[in-house]
Amino acid sequence: MPTALDKEEILPKNNPWQQALGQLQGVAQKINLEPWIYDRLAHCKRSVTVSMPVRMDDGSIQTFEGYRVQHNLDRGPAKGGLRFHHEVTLDEVKALAFWMTIKCAVVNIPYGGAKGGIVCDPKKLSRGEMERLTRKFASEISFLIGPDKDIPAPDVNTDPQIMAWIMDTYSMNIGYTVPGVVTGKPINIGGSEGRREATGRGVAVATFEALKTLGRDIKGSRVVIQGFGNVGSNAARTFIQMGAEVIAVSDWKGGLYDKNGLDIDDLRLYKKDGRSIADYPRAEHLSNAQLLECPCDVLVPCALQGQITKDNAQSIKAEVIVEGANGPTTPEADRLLRERGVLVVPDILANAGGVTVSYFEWVQDLQAFFWNADDVNRKLTDIMTRAFAEVYAISRREQVDLRLAAYILAIERISKALLVRGIYP
Ligand code: NAD
């Protein structure tokens, strides 16, 4: 009998919205969710598709399509990133918005979930084209976004500069400066200290707590990290500060291994010049496939979705997997790992540090009063630690894995908000 979240066999594999609905169905069965609440969560509150003619550098006009989806607003304004990718679809954006609703509820920050996407290949756009496209999109969705309504943030292929253009366009249209309309902005226009490092730092805090439940100390633990971008490299740095040894890391090109622990600061410096860490000369080299199967205590996937599959799940030697990336473990692999007793800390908990510090950024913008990095990091650690403890308690009480426990916690929180607010009119 498949458990609640094992829907891979019965749902189309390549439709993320179907996958999200499958997860919702599974949790609904487990907690006897009222049918009208299930229906509410099985529908997105608003899905907007816009078409955007943009003047290209060569004088031609190209029309792009973009989406902004607000999945749920019952716990607060909608929150979620904006991705630029040539394969973005409305169903993908709907699923990502649903997962944002869940993630915000897991860490108990007062937001619903949203996501946005523009179908484009950013590698083929000049900086000027990118700016015109971003500003056009911001204008098209300006009726939908705002600090009390929906607050975009960076995601795949979008960065603080793109957030600055959105903030500026929105502010120009409304006639005054509104820093709280986006998060992940540059610090000099209302961004937060610690936002860039937040997801990786949160991943390390979740790992610390997971090891504690096994009676293990993070000091001296051997950690392997797939992906050395924003999340992976910042997680690596925090692991070292906590006394762990990061023995292997990788990027898209390949991996590095040192049984005595890699010099992460040196690697970050090496990468700064635009070089791939796979070319780093002062460590052994290994492939991404070998990296995932390396003997270690903790494996931290921080690259792409679908990296841990039924084909490699049996060969993974880590006792704990902490999902820095979104969706790195397929449902089938998840089941195999659970059967083997591997503790998996799910993405909706493990990588929630990013949206948590986005929340801090929004609070600081609304108050026009800014915190220092120590304040941000302390509050981030408090929220991640508390969320982990709450999810862990449910997993013990219900005898389920941490992923299902996190879904139960989130959907119970959203249901409570819905029940107390009632139906209008
Ligand atoms: P990034 O682009 O900064 O880094 C991605 C890293 O993965 C790069 O080092 C890249 O070389 C590597 N990579 C790509 N393909 C790979 C492959 N096949 N094998 C090994 N490594 C590969 O992205 P990021 O912001 O660090 O995001 C990583 C993951 O974390 C994504 O799944 C993202 O959705 C998720 N996430 C990010 C944040 C955030 O705040 N940045 C928050 C929550 C979740």
Side-chain angles (χ1 to χ4, degrees), residues 83 96 103 115 154-157 195-196 198-200 226-233 250-254 271 277 288 291 301-305 307 323-328 347 351-355:
R83 69 173 48 175
L96 289 163
K103 201 179 285 187
K115 206 79 179 190
D155 190 68
V156 174
N157 291 327
R195 172 62 189 90
R196 207 163 27 91
T199 309
Q226 184 198 40
F228 202 68
N230 177 294
V231 181
S233 67
S250 66
D251 67 9
W252 64 274
K253 208 173 161 189
K271 195 189 132 197
I277 56 163
N288 260 298
L291 174 123
C302 295
L304 302 172
Q305 63 274 20
Q307 294 298 297
E323 295 182 336
N326 282 317
D347 46 7
N351 70 32
V355 73

mmCIF file of all heavy atoms in Angstrom, residues 83 96 103 115 154-157 195-196 198-200 226-233 250-254 271 277 288 291 301-305 307 323-328 347 351-355, ligand 1:
data_model
loop_
_atom_site.group_PDB
_atom_site.id
_atom_site.type_symbol
_atom_site.label_atom_id
_atom_site.label_comp_id
_atom_site.label_asym_id
_atom_site.label_seq_id
_atom_site.Cartn_x
_atom_site.Cartn_y
_atom_site.Cartn_z
ATOM 1 N N ARG A 83 10.647 33.184 -11.692
ATOM 2 C CA ARG A 83 11.716 32.515 -12.446
ATOM 3 C C ARG A 83 11.650 32.848 -13.927
ATOM 4 O O ARG A 83 10.575 33.002 -14.488
ATOM 5 C CB ARG A 83 11.749 31.017 -12.179
ATOM 6 C CG ARG A 83 10.651 30.166 -12.683
ATOM 7 C CD ARG A 83 10.948 28.675 -12.467
ATOM 8 N NE ARG A 83 11.398 28.335 -11.125
ATOM 9 C CZ ARG A 83 11.611 27.102 -10.692
ATOM 10 N NH1 ARG A 83 11.409 26.069 -11.485
ATOM 11 N NH2 ARG A 83 12.034 26.853 -9.477
ATOM 12 N N LEU A 96 4.511 25.404 -7.920
ATOM 13 C CA LEU A 96 5.494 26.109 -7.078
ATOM 14 C C LEU A 96 4.778 27.060 -6.119
ATOM 15 O O LEU A 96 5.209 27.240 -4.973
ATOM 16 C CB LEU A 96 6.489 26.861 -7.966
ATOM 17 C CG LEU A 96 7.464 25.951 -8.734
ATOM 18 C CD1 LEU A 96 8.123 26.704 -9.891
ATOM 19 C CD2 LEU A 96 8.533 25.379 -7.794
ATOM 20 N N LYS A 103 5.250 25.822 2.432
ATOM 21 C CA LYS A 103 6.526 26.178 3.092
ATOM 22 C C LYS A 103 6.323 27.303 4.118
ATOM 23 O O LYS A 103 6.841 27.243 5.235
ATOM 24 C CB LYS A 103 7.538 26.610 2.016
ATOM 25 C CG LYS A 103 8.975 26.509 2.446
ATOM 26 C CD LYS A 103 9.930 26.918 1.326
ATOM 27 C CE LYS A 103 10.054 25.878 0.242
ATOM 28 N NZ LYS A 103 11.106 26.199 -0.756
ATOM 29 N N LYS A 115 3.842 32.329 -7.006
ATOM 30 C CA LYS A 115 5.031 32.141 -7.837
ATOM 31 C C LYS A 115 4.794 32.830 -9.169
ATOM 32 O O LYS A 115 3.639 33.035 -9.566
ATOM 33 C CB LYS A 115 5.286 30.642 -8.076
ATOM 34 C CG LYS A 115 6.731 30.311 -8.353
ATOM 35 C CD LYS A 115 7.557 30.280 -7.079
ATOM 36 C CE LYS A 115 9.001 29.921 -7.328
ATOM 37 N NZ LYS A 115 9.695 29.662 -6.054
ATOM 38 N N PRO A 154 13.522 36.722 -5.780
ATOM 39 C CA PRO A 154 14.298 36.010 -6.813
ATOM 40 C C PRO A 154 14.058 34.506 -6.788
ATOM 41 O O PRO A 154 13.716 33.931 -5.755
ATOM 42 C CB PRO A 154 15.757 36.308 -6.433
ATOM 43 C CG PRO A 154 15.712 37.413 -5.457
ATOM 44 C CD PRO A 154 14.393 37.336 -4.772
ATOM 45 N N ASP A 155 14.220 33.883 -7.928
ATOM 46 C CA ASP A 155 14.190 32.421 -8.046
ATOM 47 C C ASP A 155 15.152 32.085 -9.186
ATOM 48 O O ASP A 155 16.066 32.876 -9.463
ATOM 49 C CB ASP A 155 12.745 31.961 -8.307
ATOM 50 C CG ASP A 155 12.582 30.454 -8.198
ATOM 51 O OD1 ASP A 155 12.700 29.925 -7.097
ATOM 52 O OD2 ASP A 155 12.355 29.784 -9.227
ATOM 53 N N VAL A 156 14.902 30.987 -9.876
ATOM 54 C CA VAL A 156 15.839 30.557 -10.916
ATOM 55 C C VAL A 156 16.048 31.685 -11.947
ATOM 56 O O VAL A 156 15.081 32.213 -12.503
ATOM 57 C CB VAL A 156 15.301 29.284 -11.618
ATOM 58 C CG1 VAL A 156 16.178 28.893 -12.795
ATOM 59 C CG2 VAL A 156 15.194 28.149 -10.619
ATOM 60 N N ASN A 157 17.308 32.057 -12.154
ATOM 61 C CA ASN A 157 17.716 33.069 -13.144
ATOM 62 C C ASN A 157 17.204 34.483 -12.874
ATOM 63 O O ASN A 157 17.173 35.310 -13.785
ATOM 64 C CB ASN A 157 17.294 32.649 -14.563
ATOM 65 C CG ASN A 157 18.096 31.463 -15.052
ATOM 66 O OD1 ASN A 157 19.263 31.329 -14.715
ATOM 67 N ND2 ASN A 157 17.469 30.604 -15.830
ATOM 68 N N ARG A 195 20.211 37.952 3.803
ATOM 69 C CA ARG A 195 19.249 37.300 2.893
ATOM 70 C C ARG A 195 19.962 36.345 1.936
ATOM 71 O O ARG A 195 19.500 35.240 1.689
ATOM 72 C CB ARG A 195 18.446 38.357 2.103
ATOM 73 C CG ARG A 195 17.557 37.774 0.995
ATOM 74 C CD ARG A 195 16.494 36.839 1.550
ATOM 75 N NE ARG A 195 15.756 36.111 0.524
ATOM 76 C CZ ARG A 195 16.102 34.928 0.025
ATOM 77 N NH1 ARG A 195 17.213 34.311 0.423
ATOM 78 N NH2 ARG A 195 15.341 34.328 -0.866
ATOM 79 N N ARG A 196 21.120 36.801 1.406
ATOM 80 C CA ARG A 196 21.843 35.992 0.423
ATOM 81 C C ARG A 196 22.261 34.643 1.013
ATOM 82 O O ARG A 196 22.186 33.603 0.370
ATOM 83 C CB ARG A 196 23.080 36.779 -0.052
ATOM 84 C CG ARG A 196 23.561 36.455 -1.429
ATOM 85 C CD ARG A 196 24.493 37.531 -1.977
ATOM 86 N NE ARG A 196 25.215 38.269 -0.952
ATOM 87 C CZ ARG A 196 26.416 37.942 -0.471
ATOM 88 N NH1 ARG A 196 27.041 36.895 -0.926
ATOM 89 N NH2 ARG A 196 26.990 38.691 0.457
ATOM 90 N N ALA A 198 20.854 33.149 3.596
ATOM 91 C CA ALA A 198 19.832 32.601 4.497
ATOM 92 C C ALA A 198 19.456 31.149 4.212
ATOM 93 O O ALA A 198 19.311 30.348 5.146
ATOM 94 C CB ALA A 198 18.584 33.472 4.433
ATOM 95 N N THR A 199 19.285 30.794 2.936
ATOM 96 C CA THR A 199 18.810 29.438 2.652
ATOM 97 C C THR A 199 19.859 28.414 3.091
ATOM 98 O O THR A 199 19.538 27.422 3.765
ATOM 99 C CB THR A 199 18.468 29.285 1.153
ATOM 100 O OG1 THR A 199 17.600 30.352 0.789
ATOM 101 C CG2 THR A 199 17.789 27.969 0.874
ATOM 102 N N GLY A 200 21.122 28.670 2.750
ATOM 103 C CA GLY A 200 22.195 27.744 3.122
ATOM 104 C C GLY A 200 22.351 27.661 4.639
ATOM 105 O O GLY A 200 22.545 26.574 5.199
ATOM 106 N N GLN A 226 25.911 18.474 -2.899
ATOM 107 C CA GLN A 226 25.793 18.549 -4.369
ATOM 108 C C GLN A 226 25.303 19.951 -4.729
ATOM 109 O O GLN A 226 24.247 20.383 -4.266
ATOM 110 C CB GLN A 226 24.806 17.517 -4.899
ATOM 111 C CG GLN A 226 24.767 17.529 -6.420
ATOM 112 C CD GLN A 226 23.529 16.864 -7.000
ATOM 113 O OE1 GLN A 226 22.438 17.015 -6.494
ATOM 114 N NE2 GLN A 226 23.722 16.111 -8.066
ATOM 115 N N GLY A 227 26.069 20.656 -5.592
ATOM 116 C CA GLY A 227 25.700 22.030 -5.966
ATOM 117 C C GLY A 227 26.458 23.005 -5.081
ATOM 118 O O GLY A 227 26.404 22.906 -3.850
ATOM 119 N N PHE A 228 27.188 23.920 -5.718
ATOM 120 C CA PHE A 228 27.996 24.871 -4.943
ATOM 121 C C PHE A 228 27.623 26.296 -5.364
ATOM 122 O O PHE A 228 28.458 27.143 -5.594
ATOM 123 C CB PHE A 228 29.487 24.590 -5.166
ATOM 124 C CG PHE A 228 30.375 25.125 -4.074
ATOM 125 C CD1 PHE A 228 30.338 24.596 -2.793
ATOM 126 C CD2 PHE A 228 31.268 26.162 -4.336
ATOM 127 C CE1 PHE A 228 31.162 25.088 -1.794
ATOM 128 C CE2 PHE A 228 32.093 26.660 -3.335
ATOM 129 C CZ PHE A 228 32.037 26.118 -2.068
ATOM 130 N N GLY A 229 26.295 26.530 -5.488
ATOM 131 C CA GLY A 229 25.802 27.865 -5.825
ATOM 132 C C GLY A 229 25.432 28.598 -4.552
ATOM 133 O O GLY A 229 26.078 28.429 -3.507
ATOM 134 N N ASN A 230 24.382 29.395 -4.634
ATOM 135 C CA ASN A 230 23.983 30.181 -3.464
ATOM 136 C C ASN A 230 23.729 29.277 -2.254
ATOM 137 O O ASN A 230 24.309 29.474 -1.181
ATOM 138 C CB ASN A 230 22.729 31.003 -3.819
ATOM 139 C CG ASN A 230 22.215 31.788 -2.635
ATOM 140 O OD1 ASN A 230 21.762 31.201 -1.658
ATOM 141 N ND2 ASN A 230 22.307 33.091 -2.689
ATOM 142 N N VAL A 231 22.876 28.276 -2.426
ATOM 143 C CA VAL A 231 22.488 27.452 -1.273
ATOM 144 C C VAL A 231 23.664 26.574 -0.818
ATOM 145 O O VAL A 231 24.034 26.570 0.367
ATOM 146 C CB VAL A 231 21.255 26.575 -1.622
ATOM 147 C CG1 VAL A 231 20.851 25.736 -0.415
ATOM 148 C CG2 VAL A 231 20.088 27.442 -2.084
ATOM 149 N N GLY A 232 24.262 25.839 -1.754
ATOM 150 C CA GLY A 232 25.318 24.885 -1.393
ATOM 151 C C GLY A 232 26.532 25.546 -0.770
ATOM 152 O O GLY A 232 27.055 25.072 0.254
ATOM 153 N N SER A 233 27.001 26.654 -1.336
ATOM 154 C CA SER A 233 28.238 27.251 -0.813
ATOM 155 C C SER A 233 28.001 27.914 0.537
ATOM 156 O O SER A 233 28.857 27.866 1.428
ATOM 157 C CB SER A 233 28.841 28.239 -1.818
ATOM 158 O OG SER A 233 28.003 29.346 -1.969
ATOM 159 N N SER A 250 30.195 19.633 -5.315
ATOM 160 C CA SER A 250 30.218 19.556 -6.783
ATOM 161 C C SER A 250 29.466 20.729 -7.381
ATOM 162 O O SER A 250 28.709 21.417 -6.698
ATOM 163 C CB SER A 250 29.566 18.265 -7.270
ATOM 164 O OG SER A 250 28.193 18.276 -6.960
ATOM 165 N N ASP A 251 29.706 20.965 -8.679
ATOM 166 C CA ASP A 251 28.818 21.834 -9.450
ATOM 167 C C ASP A 251 28.398 21.045 -10.680
ATOM 168 O O ASP A 251 28.613 19.828 -10.749
ATOM 169 C CB ASP A 251 29.455 23.197 -9.753
ATOM 170 C CG ASP A 251 30.641 23.100 -10.698
ATOM 171 O OD1 ASP A 251 30.884 22.007 -11.275
ATOM 172 O OD2 ASP A 251 31.344 24.110 -10.866
ATOM 173 N N TRP A 252 27.801 21.711 -11.690
ATOM 174 C CA TRP A 252 27.270 20.982 -12.856
ATOM 175 C C TRP A 252 28.356 20.191 -13.581
ATOM 176 O O TRP A 252 28.097 19.179 -14.225
ATOM 177 C CB TRP A 252 26.595 21.955 -13.829
ATOM 178 C CG TRP A 252 27.564 22.940 -14.418
ATOM 179 C CD1 TRP A 252 27.938 24.123 -13.858
ATOM 180 C CD2 TRP A 252 28.291 22.801 -15.632
ATOM 181 N NE1 TRP A 252 28.871 24.737 -14.651
ATOM 182 C CE2 TRP A 252 29.101 23.952 -15.764
ATOM 183 C CE3 TRP A 252 28.346 21.828 -16.637
ATOM 184 C CZ2 TRP A 252 29.957 24.154 -16.847
ATOM 185 C CZ3 TRP A 252 29.201 22.032 -17.713
ATOM 186 C CH2 TRP A 252 29.987 23.180 -17.812
ATOM 187 N N LYS A 253 29.635 20.638 -13.423
ATOM 188 C CA LYS A 253 30.713 20.043 -14.211
ATOM 189 C C LYS A 253 31.349 18.827 -13.543
ATOM 190 O O LYS A 253 31.946 17.981 -14.196
ATOM 191 C CB LYS A 253 31.767 21.141 -14.411
ATOM 192 C CG LYS A 253 32.573 21.003 -15.669
ATOM 193 C CD LYS A 253 33.448 22.215 -15.865
ATOM 194 C CE LYS A 253 34.564 21.889 -16.831
ATOM 195 N NZ LYS A 253 35.556 22.958 -16.879
ATOM 196 N N GLY A 254 31.253 18.744 -12.213
ATOM 197 C CA GLY A 254 31.878 17.623 -11.522
ATOM 198 C C GLY A 254 32.147 17.954 -10.069
ATOM 199 O O GLY A 254 31.829 19.053 -9.603
ATOM 200 N N LYS A 271 36.137 30.006 -7.073
ATOM 201 C CA LYS A 271 34.929 30.094 -7.908
ATOM 202 C C LYS A 271 34.608 31.541 -8.287
ATOM 203 O O LYS A 271 33.978 31.792 -9.318
ATOM 204 C CB LYS A 271 33.771 29.498 -7.092
ATOM 205 C CG LYS A 271 32.552 29.174 -7.887
ATOM 206 C CD LYS A 271 31.415 28.811 -6.965
ATOM 207 C CE LYS A 271 30.194 29.582 -7.395
ATOM 208 N NZ LYS A 271 29.135 29.697 -6.488
ATOM 209 N N ILE A 277 34.375 24.833 -9.895
ATOM 210 C CA ILE A 277 35.139 24.188 -8.820
ATOM 211 C C ILE A 277 35.672 22.828 -9.263
ATOM 212 O O ILE A 277 36.608 22.299 -8.676
ATOM 213 C CB ILE A 277 34.313 24.053 -7.518
ATOM 214 C CG1 ILE A 277 33.012 23.294 -7.783
ATOM 215 C CG2 ILE A 277 34.074 25.392 -6.869
ATOM 216 C CD1 ILE A 277 32.367 22.779 -6.512
ATOM 217 N N ASN A 288 29.539 13.594 -10.376
ATOM 218 C CA ASN A 288 28.357 13.860 -9.557
ATOM 219 C C ASN A 288 27.703 12.572 -9.087
ATOM 220 O O ASN A 288 27.184 12.499 -7.977
ATOM 221 C CB ASN A 288 27.363 14.732 -10.329
ATOM 222 C CG ASN A 288 27.479 16.181 -9.894
ATOM 223 O OD1 ASN A 288 27.248 16.495 -8.733
ATOM 224 N ND2 ASN A 288 27.874 17.046 -10.800
ATOM 225 N N LEU A 291 29.714 11.322 -6.246
ATOM 226 C CA LEU A 291 29.539 12.194 -5.075
ATOM 227 C C LEU A 291 28.313 11.778 -4.257
ATOM 228 O O LEU A 291 28.369 11.686 -3.030
ATOM 229 C CB LEU A 291 29.392 13.645 -5.539
ATOM 230 C CG LEU A 291 29.072 14.650 -4.445
ATOM 231 C CD1 LEU A 291 30.129 15.748 -4.397
ATOM 232 C CD2 LEU A 291 27.713 15.269 -4.609
ATOM 233 N N PRO A 301 21.699 17.661 -1.016
ATOM 234 C CA PRO A 301 21.524 18.047 -2.419
ATOM 235 C C PRO A 301 21.092 19.509 -2.520
ATOM 236 O O PRO A 301 20.067 19.887 -1.951
ATOM 237 C CB PRO A 301 20.420 17.104 -2.916
ATOM 238 C CG PRO A 301 19.712 16.617 -1.708
ATOM 239 C CD PRO A 301 20.656 16.726 -0.552
ATOM 240 N N CYS A 302 21.883 20.319 -3.210
ATOM 241 C CA CYS A 302 21.592 21.759 -3.325
ATOM 242 C C CYS A 302 21.668 22.196 -4.779
ATOM 243 O O CYS A 302 22.109 23.313 -5.066
ATOM 244 C CB CYS A 302 22.598 22.578 -2.523
ATOM 245 S SG CYS A 302 22.525 22.322 -0.762
ATOM 246 N N ALA A 303 21.300 21.320 -5.717
ATOM 247 C CA ALA A 303 21.412 21.696 -7.130
ATOM 248 C C ALA A 303 20.032 21.719 -7.775
ATOM 249 O O ALA A 303 19.351 22.738 -7.746
ATOM 250 C CB ALA A 303 22.354 20.739 -7.847
ATOM 251 N N LEU A 304 19.629 20.583 -8.312
ATOM 252 C CA LEU A 304 18.407 20.530 -9.122
ATOM 253 C C LEU A 304 17.418 19.558 -8.523
ATOM 254 O O LEU A 304 17.741 18.772 -7.640
ATOM 255 C CB LEU A 304 18.761 20.025 -10.529
ATOM 256 C CG LEU A 304 19.788 20.812 -11.318
ATOM 257 C CD1 LEU A 304 20.135 20.059 -12.586
ATOM 258 C CD2 LEU A 304 19.228 22.191 -11.636
ATOM 259 N N GLN A 305 16.207 19.549 -9.125
ATOM 260 C CA GLN A 305 15.214 18.551 -8.741
ATOM 261 C C GLN A 305 15.591 17.192 -9.349
ATOM 262 O O GLN A 305 16.370 17.120 -10.296
ATOM 263 C CB GLN A 305 13.799 18.966 -9.181
ATOM 264 C CG GLN A 305 13.585 19.093 -10.671
ATOM 265 C CD GLN A 305 13.967 20.457 -11.214
ATOM 266 O OE1 GLN A 305 14.729 21.186 -10.580
ATOM 267 N NE2 GLN A 305 13.473 20.787 -12.389
ATOM 268 N N GLN A 307 17.381 14.477 -8.415
ATOM 269 C CA GLN A 307 18.751 13.943 -8.396
ATOM 270 C C GLN A 307 18.843 12.582 -7.710
ATOM 271 O O GLN A 307 19.667 11.760 -8.057
ATOM 272 C CB GLN A 307 19.682 14.928 -7.673
ATOM 273 C CG GLN A 307 19.847 16.242 -8.394
ATOM 274 C CD GLN A 307 20.471 16.044 -9.762
ATOM 275 O OE1 GLN A 307 21.596 15.590 -9.880
ATOM 276 N NE2 GLN A 307 19.716 16.340 -10.813
ATOM 277 N N GLU A 323 17.385 18.274 2.226
ATOM 278 C CA GLU A 323 17.082 18.768 0.882
ATOM 279 C C GLU A 323 17.199 20.292 0.799
ATOM 280 O O GLU A 323 16.244 21.012 1.074
ATOM 281 C CB GLU A 323 15.668 18.330 0.461
ATOM 282 C CG GLU A 323 15.529 16.824 0.329
ATOM 283 C CD GLU A 323 14.145 16.399 -0.140
ATOM 284 O OE1 GLU A 323 13.178 17.162 0.053
ATOM 285 O OE2 GLU A 323 14.025 15.285 -0.681
ATOM 286 N N GLY A 324 18.387 20.756 0.390
ATOM 287 C CA GLY A 324 18.572 22.186 0.149
ATOM 288 C C GLY A 324 17.850 22.614 -1.113
ATOM 289 O O GLY A 324 17.253 23.684 -1.181
ATOM 290 N N ALA A 325 17.884 21.775 -2.150
ATOM 291 C CA ALA A 325 17.189 22.066 -3.408
ATOM 292 C C ALA A 325 15.705 21.790 -3.244
ATOM 293 O O ALA A 325 15.290 21.106 -2.309
ATOM 294 C CB ALA A 325 17.759 21.195 -4.520
ATOM 295 N N ASN A 326 14.919 22.294 -4.177
ATOM 296 C CA ASN A 326 13.497 21.949 -4.221
ATOM 297 C C ASN A 326 13.332 20.665 -5.014
ATOM 298 O O ASN A 326 13.799 20.562 -6.152
ATOM 299 C CB ASN A 326 12.706 23.078 -4.905
ATOM 300 C CG ASN A 326 12.488 24.253 -3.975
ATOM 301 O OD1 ASN A 326 12.166 24.077 -2.801
ATOM 302 N ND2 ASN A 326 12.674 25.460 -4.481
ATOM 303 N N GLY A 327 12.701 19.680 -4.386
ATOM 304 C CA GLY A 327 12.368 18.431 -5.084
ATOM 305 C C GLY A 327 13.531 17.583 -5.550
ATOM 306 O O GLY A 327 13.445 16.973 -6.619
ATOM 307 N N PRO A 328 14.642 17.445 -4.796
ATOM 308 C CA PRO A 328 15.770 16.654 -5.288
ATOM 309 C C PRO A 328 15.531 15.139 -5.226
ATOM 310 O O PRO A 328 16.236 14.386 -5.885
ATOM 311 C CB PRO A 328 16.921 17.038 -4.351
ATOM 312 C CG PRO A 328 16.255 17.419 -3.074
ATOM 313 C CD PRO A 328 14.939 18.038 -3.474
ATOM 314 N N ASP A 347 12.510 19.369 1.665
ATOM 315 C CA ASP A 347 12.726 20.729 1.166
ATOM 316 C C ASP A 347 11.820 21.781 1.814
ATOM 317 O O ASP A 347 12.276 22.872 2.144
ATOM 318 C CB ASP A 347 12.552 20.768 -0.367
ATOM 319 C CG ASP A 347 11.309 20.026 -0.867
ATOM 320 O OD1 ASP A 347 10.488 19.587 -0.035
ATOM 321 O OD2 ASP A 347 11.161 19.885 -2.101
ATOM 322 N N ASN A 351 14.800 24.037 3.299
ATOM 323 C CA ASN A 351 15.271 25.235 2.597
ATOM 324 C C ASN A 351 14.385 26.456 2.842
ATOM 325 O O ASN A 351 14.447 27.436 2.095
ATOM 326 C CB ASN A 351 15.520 24.960 1.107
ATOM 327 C CG ASN A 351 14.236 24.717 0.316
ATOM 328 O OD1 ASN A 351 13.192 25.273 0.625
ATOM 329 N ND2 ASN A 351 14.327 23.897 -0.714
ATOM 330 N N ALA A 352 13.596 26.408 3.927
ATOM 331 C CA ALA A 352 12.677 27.524 4.219
ATOM 332 C C ALA A 352 13.394 28.738 4.812
ATOM 333 O O ALA A 352 12.754 29.769 5.060
ATOM 334 C CB ALA A 352 11.569 27.052 5.154
ATOM 335 N N GLY A 353 14.700 28.642 5.019
ATOM 336 C CA GLY A 353 15.441 29.800 5.556
ATOM 337 C C GLY A 353 15.393 30.997 4.622
ATOM 338 O O GLY A 353 15.397 32.153 5.064
ATOM 339 N N GLY A 354 15.324 30.735 3.311
ATOM 340 C CA GLY A 354 15.301 31.838 2.339
ATOM 341 C C GLY A 354 14.041 32.662 2.477
ATOM 342 O O GLY A 354 14.091 33.891 2.606
ATOM 343 N N VAL A 355 12.893 31.990 2.490
ATOM 344 C CA VAL A 355 11.645 32.767 2.584
ATOM 345 C C VAL A 355 11.509 33.377 3.979
ATOM 346 O O VAL A 355 10.907 34.442 4.146
ATOM 347 C CB VAL A 355 10.408 31.908 2.179
ATOM 348 C CG1 VAL A 355 10.042 30.873 3.210
ATOM 349 C CG2 VAL A 355 9.210 32.823 1.919
HETATM 350 P P1 NAD B 1 22.490 28.388 -8.011
HETATM 351 O O1 NAD B 1 22.210 28.543 -9.466
HETATM 352 O O2 NAD B 1 23.139 29.492 -7.262
HETATM 353 O O3 NAD B 1 23.378 27.057 -7.752
HETATM 354 C C1 NAD B 1 23.082 25.823 -8.318
HETATM 355 C C2 NAD B 1 24.331 24.960 -8.237
HETATM 356 O O4 NAD B 1 24.011 23.644 -8.715
HETATM 357 C C3 NAD B 1 25.492 25.450 -9.112
HETATM 358 O O5 NAD B 1 26.713 25.241 -8.433
HETATM 359 C C4 NAD B 1 25.412 24.542 -10.341
HETATM 360 O O6 NAD B 1 26.655 24.400 -11.001
HETATM 361 C C5 NAD B 1 25.009 23.260 -9.656
HETATM 362 N N1 NAD B 1 24.450 22.285 -10.584
HETATM 363 C C6 NAD B 1 23.643 22.489 -11.638
HETATM 364 N N2 NAD B 1 23.405 21.315 -12.244
HETATM 365 C C7 NAD B 1 24.047 20.360 -11.537
HETATM 366 C C8 NAD B 1 24.193 18.955 -11.661
HETATM 367 N N3 NAD B 1 23.594 18.287 -12.640
HETATM 368 N N4 NAD B 1 24.928 18.311 -10.733
HETATM 369 C C9 NAD B 1 25.534 18.982 -9.744
HETATM 370 N N5 NAD B 1 25.440 20.296 -9.576
HETATM 371 C C10 NAD B 1 24.725 20.974 -10.473
HETATM 372 O O7 NAD B 1 21.051 28.009 -7.362
HETATM 373 P P2 NAD B 1 20.634 28.100 -5.831
HETATM 374 O O8 NAD B 1 19.964 29.410 -5.605
HETATM 375 O O9 NAD B 1 21.780 27.675 -4.978
HETATM 376 O O10 NAD B 1 19.465 27.007 -5.807
HETATM 377 C C11 NAD B 1 19.756 25.629 -5.733
HETATM 378 C C12 NAD B 1 18.479 24.880 -5.385
HETATM 379 O O11 NAD B 1 17.945 25.375 -4.151
HETATM 380 C C13 NAD B 1 17.331 25.019 -6.402
HETATM 381 O O12 NAD B 1 16.609 23.801 -6.391
HETATM 382 C C14 NAD B 1 16.475 26.124 -5.814
HETATM 383 O O13 NAD B 1 15.114 26.051 -6.260
HETATM 384 C C15 NAD B 1 16.592 25.786 -4.337
HETATM 385 N N6 NAD B 1 16.290 26.905 -3.432
HETATM 386 C C16 NAD B 1 17.006 28.057 -3.490
HETATM 387 C C17 NAD B 1 16.724 29.082 -2.609
HETATM 388 C C18 NAD B 1 17.538 30.344 -2.588
HETATM 389 O O14 NAD B 1 17.291 31.189 -1.711
HETATM 390 N N7 NAD B 1 18.497 30.525 -3.480
HETATM 391 C C19 NAD B 1 15.677 28.945 -1.677
HETATM 392 C C20 NAD B 1 14.959 27.750 -1.640
HETATM 393 C C21 NAD B 1 15.278 26.726 -2.525
#
